[in-house]
Amino acid sequence: MKISFLRFIVLLAVAMSATFSASAYDFIYENLMYSYMADKSKLAVVGRSERSEPIVNLVIPSTITVSGKALTVAAIYPEAFSNDGYLETAKIPGTVTTIKDYAFKDCAKLKSVTMEEGLESIGSHSFSGCPLLTELKIPNSVATIEPYAFRNCVGLASVSLPNSLTKIERSTFNGCKSLKSVTVGKNVSEIEIGTFRSCTSLETVNLPDTLTAIWDSAFYGCSSLKSIKLPSSLITISDRAFGESALTDIELPD
């Protein structure tokens, strides 16, 4: 009886998976798969059609016309281009307000991403593990960057974070070994656990006067970081925040 029941569960799971795959997108338009969002006037990019040629330079349109009706492309769904071995550049229009989790994770050849003003959130792991990503400008409209978003992007050399952010989440830039300079937006109040951990090339960090907390291991293992000025607003420096760094000059607030 147990074997029969387990077999039933497996078959049910397979059937459900097949159903999900079949309904994961609503239509294909110029080599990309799209799904209708809750607001039927808006679309989300689901990924590249398996029937299309590989895409090297991705340009996501701001609108497309379906059955005579103009629809807005407003999101990139989870894992849409994850593990794509051909993608080198991506241009994302301002109509896209959210990039979901794992959207571009482990794109081995991705070198540059252009994000336009209008983007509001970047999901967890959305660009993690993209080793050749060197060009990155985060729009001022971005209010949320989820944990691990750019983890192990070992080619990133500098990052300027927008003033719209209020927190830098856990391990956002963990393992970005080429990252040399960081400018933190002037409204950030917290740098979370492991945010810049193991950024071994990090030399310059500009912190805002709104910062109140630097949490566990935020700059742990930043072996090139020799000096830092901590703002007067800072209240908490947590465990190992600067552990295994090269700090010789620290300006502490009162």
Side-chain angles (χ1 to χ4, degrees):
M1 184 69 181
K2 286 184 178 179
I3 295 175
S4 176
F5 177 74
L6 288 173
R7 187 175 299 168
F8 170 76
I9 292 297
V10 170
L11 290 172
L12 180 62
V14 170
M16 290 177 67
S17 175
T19 301
F20 176 79
S21 299
S23 60
Y25 67 93
D26 292 307
F27 63 90
I28 296 171
Y29 182 89
E30 293 186 353
N31 298 330
L32 293 179
M33 299 183 295
Y34 293 90
S35 178
Y36 290 103
M37 299 179 71
D39 179 350
K40 296 298 183 181
S41 68
K42 295 181 179 179
L43 299 171
V45 179
V46 176
R48 175 177 66 85
S49 169
E50 294 180 357
R51 291 176 285 177
S52 75
E53 292 294 322
I55 299 174
V56 175
N57 299 304
L58 173 67
V59 179
I60 294 176
S62 56
T63 60
I64 63 175
T65 302
V66 179
S67 301
K69 183 178 180 180
L71 303 176
T72 300
V73 180
I76 301 174
Y77 269 4
E79 301 184 27
F81 300 97
S82 180
N83 289 292
D84 190 303
Y86 298 93
L87 195 61
E88 294 184 7
T89 67
K91 186 174 182 180
I92 301 168
T95 57
V96 171
T97 58
T98 180
I99 300 172
K100 297 289 189 180
D101 300 352
Y102 300 89
F104 293 90
K105 184 179 184 292
D106 293 332
C107 288
K109 293 184 178 181
L110 185 63
K111 297 176 182 178
S112 70
V113 177
T114 303
M115 307 175 191
E116 295 184 354
E117 293 292 334
L119 182 66
E120 296 173 2
S121 66
I122 298 173
S124 175
H125 290 278
S126 48
F127 293 94
S128 66
C130 296
L132 300 184
L133 184 61
T134 58
E135 298 180 30
L136 179 66
K137 183 179 179 182
I138 300 173
N140 290 322
S141 54
V142 172
T144 304
I145 301 176
E146 297 291 348
Y148 306 97
F150 299 97
R151 185 184 184 186
N152 291 333
C153 288
V154 296
L156 276 181
S158 65
V159 170
S160 182
L161 295 169
N163 295 331
S164 48
L165 283 179
T166 57
K167 180 193 291 189
I168 310 176
E169 293 286 357
R170 175 192 295 259
S171 293
T172 301
F173 296 97
N174 188 330
C176 294
K177 297 183 182 299
S178 297
L179 189 61
K180 290 186 176 182
S181 66
V182 172
T183 299
V184 179
K186 66 180 182 181
N187 290 310
V188 168
S189 62
E190 296 179 75
I191 298 177
E192 274 289 355
I193 297 171
T195 297
F196 298 101
R197 185 181 177 122
S198 299
C199 292
T200 53
S201 297
L202 188 60
E203 297 176 354
T204 305
V205 180
N206 296 309
L207 300 174
D209 291 332
T210 52
L211 188 67
T212 60
I214 300 174
W215 296 112
D216 300 9
S217 304
F219 292 92
Y220 187 90
C222 293
S223 53
S224 297
L225 186 61
K226 296 179 181 180
S227 66
I228 194 164
K229 180 181 179 181
L230 301 175
S232 58
S233 56
L234 190 64
I235 298 170
T236 302
I237 302 174
S238 198
D239 295 347
R240 304 191 303 169
F242 295 95
E244 299 296 328
S245 68
L247 282 176
T248 57
D249 183 11
I250 307 172
E251 187 173 334
L252 290 168
D254 292 339

